[in-house]
Amino acid sequence: MPSRTDLANAIRALSMDAVQRAKSGHPGAPMGMADIAEVLWNDFLQHNPANPHWPNRDRFVLSNGHGSMLIYSLLHLTGYELPMAEIQNFRQLHSLTPGHPEYGYAPGVETTTGPLGQGISNAVGMALAEKVLAAQFNRPGHAVVDHFTYAFAGDGCLMEGISHEVCSLAGTLGLGKLIVFYDDNGISIDGEVEGWFTDDTPGRFSAYGWQVIADVDGHDAAAVRRAIEAGRENSAQPTLICCKTVIGKGAPNKQGTESCHGAPLGDEEIAATREAIGWPHAPFVIPEEIYAGWDAREAGAQREQAWEAAMQAYAADHPDLAAELRRRLAGDLPEDFERYARDYIEQCQSKGETIASRKASQNCLNAYGPVLPELLGGSADLAGSNLTLWDGARGITGADASGNYVYYGVREFGMSAIMNGVALHGGLVPYGATFLMFMEYARNAVRMAALMKLRTIFVYTHDSIGLGEDGPTHQPVEQLTALRATPNLLTWRPCDAVESAVAWREALLRTGGPTALIFSRQALQHQARNAEQLEAIERGAYILRDSREHPELILIATGSEVQLAMEAAEKIAAEGRQVRVVSMPCAERFMEQEALYREKVLPSDVLARVAVEAGHVDYWYKFVGLDGRVVGMNTFGESAPAADLMAHFGFTVDSVVAVAEELLQE
């Protein structure tokens, strides 16, 4: 039977060989953390390589994702469908082993990591999801939701500000099944971190309310095992295990230095490492006894079978709960949701209410929330402004996690990355809110949601200069453009309560990516629609007002500016012009429509086009053309009452009419 060191050395060998073949990569972290990983994966990790999506598996997150060969080695050695050919194809086009772990590529990769700090943040979200689901579904004698979340993190993750946000909240919420290993090797890209990172990390995490196990020798298997056992025994606090390690462990001339952090070791150093660690095997050759020592397939199958038996017993005692849990873990919404939502949208159209779209959003939550127990809401300390609380919302606390609402505090970035972790875990559909301006704090987490194709719903209110007196620090200008430019993100900016209800429905139904819902502070006037127009909202853009004959002018608008475009159209039409108004609540969804529909809404022979939106002008030239006009923002806003600002920046009927008439006369 191979020793623990032999098993860990398999990780070191695969990591240095794969990086060398790719001519790029980071061998230092996987070589330094190999001993910790061996203990965790062989002695504790609850997983089944044959079914990477087994719901009750432990989650493992490599937050310092540059060390990706660590997780690829672990997945390959323990029996996942990640053959040696993929290890040899590390960092190459279309391989399952990209430079940083990417969700949806190699089986067993729980989240995309690389932007430092976000992996540990996702792990907090996963641990939160586990605690919430356990509180909602477990019953005496039936612990059917019962697993740990483990994360590896380095100095870089802990230097990033987001780690402060999420780890503080994790302590407050008592996420006792979260165990983080801090790879305290004292080295980052620029060298020894003592020149720029002298935090008292154990003291910091103790202050957060974590259990801290300090000064663990990360190369002593017995010490690592004792630390993990202590972490697992403390169900009231998350645990930080501070592991002293040597980066590049085993490389005799480069270990302990930045030279092995982000570059291949080189042929000579690899040969010396093989001799130093007693690994005589050729590159990418793993002896059968090493594979046997790592193989987790049989044990994993037994664990899953035991859980399925537990689920059957649970179903016998609690059939409704068991069925509900399986539905939610599968990611399916209730069968009647679409009918329910359609009825509500029709009610909104009949009611014809003129209200702020942020209030319309809250009304949607009150309508949809009772039939969607999987909703997990929240706000970054702006619940009273974002209106994300609904009648059935119950706050989650460390003592009681059975609710459905998280008070995230002023942690926009942390909130967004935690939501991604919740979505990755499964069983819950997260939404969280802040002002649109403060999407800037969270932009990279929004990008990661889109990259991973997660069902995460970002709610942004106070959507333009229309928020008024708080001034340009709070008034978004370029943020809509940034969101719309993000691949695989759908951004909805509805013009009234009806479009708001459709936007929420579409966000909830979407399983292939995140959605940003953009809502106003100010009241928006209800728009009259026929049945065909109502049905067309979901297509992202539709004809809200049409001309009697083929249009000679098209006004395109979103959100609060739709009413402005409608009034301007009436005034221009009174002069005998043929004017169409297109409401475009979601430009990206419109661009997904077939060419015939897009041509119907925006006929290519109508070149006189004006877009009206209280956001940056540049985005709209793709729809109006270089010869079209955009009534929008080219500068930051000002501090003044909303009506004064709208007039000052040209968002008036007369201004839109003047721009349109000038265009028609050219």
Side-chain angles (χ1 to χ4, degrees), residues 445-481:
V446 176
R447 184 178 189 271
M448 296 298 285
L451 183 63
M452 290 189 277
K453 304 177 182 178
L454 303 181
R455 184 195 272 172
T456 310
I457 301 174
F458 302 102
V459 178
Y460 300 124
T461 68
H462 296 61
D463 65 346
S464 72
I465 60 170
L467 69 86
E469 293 86 347
D470 278 335
T473 61
H474 284 53
Q475 292 166 4
V477 172
E478 70 276 27
Q479 285 64 43
L480 281 167
T481 298

Side-chain angles (χ1 to χ4, degrees), residues 202 211-216 223 226-231 239-243:
Q211 173 182 230
V212 177
I213 303 174
D215 297 320
V216 174
R226 288 193 298 271
I228 296 173
E229 288 173 341
T239 296
L240 180 73
I241 301 176
C242 301
C243 297

Side-chain angles (χ1 to χ4, degrees), residues 137-413:
F137 285 98
N138 288 351
R139 294 296 182 269
H142 298 286
V144 291
V145 180
D146 183 19
H147 60 79
F148 286 84
T149 299
Y150 299 99
F152 282 9
D155 296 299
C157 289
L158 300 190
M159 282 187 251
E160 289 285 358
I162 189 174
S163 72
H164 295 257
E165 295 182 27
V166 301
C167 293
S168 170
L169 186 60
T172 297
L173 294 179
L175 301 183
K177 290 193 173 178
L178 172 63
I179 299 177
V180 176
F181 298 82
Y182 167 34
D183 181 28
D184 184 10
N185 59 36
I187 297 293
S188 67
I189 293 176
D190 284 349
E192 297 182 7
V193 301
E194 62 184 12
W196 48 87
F197 185 52
T198 57
D199 296 16
D200 176 5
T201 298
R204 167 188 160 191
F205 276 79
S206 293
Y208 291 155
W210 287 52
Q211 173 182 230
V212 177
I213 303 174
D215 297 320
V216 174
D217 183 346
H219 304 298
D220 181 339
V224 172
R225 182 181 176 85
R226 288 193 298 271
I228 296 173
E229 288 173 341
R232 289 167 59 92
E233 289 170 1
N234 187 341
S235 60
Q237 296 173 289
T239 296
L240 180 73
I241 301 176
C242 301
C243 297
K244 294 290 186 180
T245 64
V246 177
I247 189 171
K249 173 74 171 174
N253 302 303
K254 293 190 175 182
Q255 67 178 11
T257 70
E258 66 271 20
S259 62
C260 65
H261 171 89
L265 296 180
D267 291 333
E268 290 185 9
E269 185 70 3
I270 286 176
T273 303
R274 277 186 153 75
E275 183 175 352
I277 67 176
W279 188 265
H281 316 293
F284 304 108
V285 172
I286 304 295
E288 285 304 316
E289 62 269 21
I290 298 293
Y291 274 126
W294 275 106
D295 193 347
R297 288 172 292 186
E298 182 178 349
Q302 291 174 354
R303 290 190 185 99
E304 184 171 357
Q305 289 168 7
W307 181 77
E308 285 292 348
M311 278 294 291
Q312 291 177 13
Y314 178 62
D317 289 352
H318 305 283
D320 292 342
L321 281 174
E324 175 69 5
L325 177 59
R326 289 208 184 264
R327 176 189 72 77
R328 287 169 58 175
L329 291 173
D332 299 327
L333 296 185
E335 289 183 3
D336 59 350
F337 172 70
E338 289 191 61
R339 175 192 56 79
Y340 191 93
R342 185 173 58 251
D343 290 346
Y344 176 70
I345 292 165
E346 291 175 354
Q347 291 171 17
C348 288
Q349 185 63 43
S350 298
K351 190 174 183 180
E353 196 171 12
T354 293
I355 55 174
S357 55
R358 62 170 175 163
K359 180 59 179 176
S361 169
Q362 186 179 51
N363 291 346
C364 289
L365 289 169
N366 277 316
Y368 298 158
V371 296
L372 294 174
E374 53 263 66
L375 279 182
L376 183 67
S379 173
D381 201 47
L382 288 169
S385 295
N386 299 145
L387 301 186
T388 45
L389 285 168
W390 57 285
D391 292 345
R394 287 199 307 114
I396 289 167
T397 67
D400 182 4
S402 63
N404 57 7
Y405 193 87
V406 182
Y407 290 92
Y408 285 102
V410 187
R411 301 181 176 99
E412 295 88 355
F413 193 5

Side-chain angles (χ1 to χ4, degrees), residues 379-565:
S379 173
D381 201 47
L382 288 169
S385 295
N386 299 145
L387 301 186
T388 45
L389 285 168
W390 57 285
D391 292 345
R394 287 199 307 114
I396 289 167
T397 67
D400 182 4
S402 63
N404 57 7
Y405 193 87
V406 182
Y407 290 92
Y408 285 102
V410 187
R411 301 181 176 99
E412 295 88 355
F413 193 5
M415 172 184 72
S416 303
I418 288 172
M419 288 161 56
N420 288 344
V422 169
L424 285 160
H425 181 280
L428 297 162
V429 176
Y431 71 89
T434 185
F435 291 166
L436 176 57
M437 182 64 248
F438 302 129
M439 175 279 294
E440 292 292 349
Y441 283 132
R443 184 183 296 192
N444 199 254
V446 176
R447 184 178 189 271
M448 296 298 285
L451 183 63
M452 290 189 277
K453 304 177 182 178
L454 303 181
R455 184 195 272 172
T456 310
I457 301 174
F458 302 102
V459 178
Y460 300 124
T461 68
H462 296 61
D463 65 346
S464 72
I465 60 170
L467 69 86
E469 293 86 347
D470 278 335
T473 61
H474 284 53
Q475 292 166 4
V477 172
E478 70 276 27
Q479 285 64 43
L480 281 167
T481 298
L483 290 170
R484 289 169 177 148
T486 304
N488 197 41
L489 173 70
L490 293 188
T491 301
W492 290 82
R493 187 177 185 240
C495 77
D496 65 1
V498 177
E499 287 189 0
S500 298
V502 173
W504 259 110
R505 180 192 66 186
E506 295 304 300
L508 290 162
L509 290 174
R510 189 175 190 227
T511 58
T515 303
L517 300 176
I518 316 299
F519 298 121
S520 72
R521 179 190 186 190
Q522 69 272 30
L524 305 183
Q525 187 167 327
H526 171 74
Q527 301 298 324
R529 297 175 183 85
N530 58 33
E532 182 181 358
Q533 290 169 317
L534 190 64
E535 192 70 23
I537 295 172
E538 67 186 51
R539 305 188 78 163
Y542 62 103
I543 302 168
L544 184 60
R545 179 204 183 278
D546 210 1
S547 52
R548 294 188 178 185
E549 301 174 14
H550 193 65
E552 55 185 317
L553 170 70
I554 299 177
L555 302 179
I556 308 169
T558 78
S560 52
E561 288 70 68
V562 167
Q563 178 59 28
L564 181 60

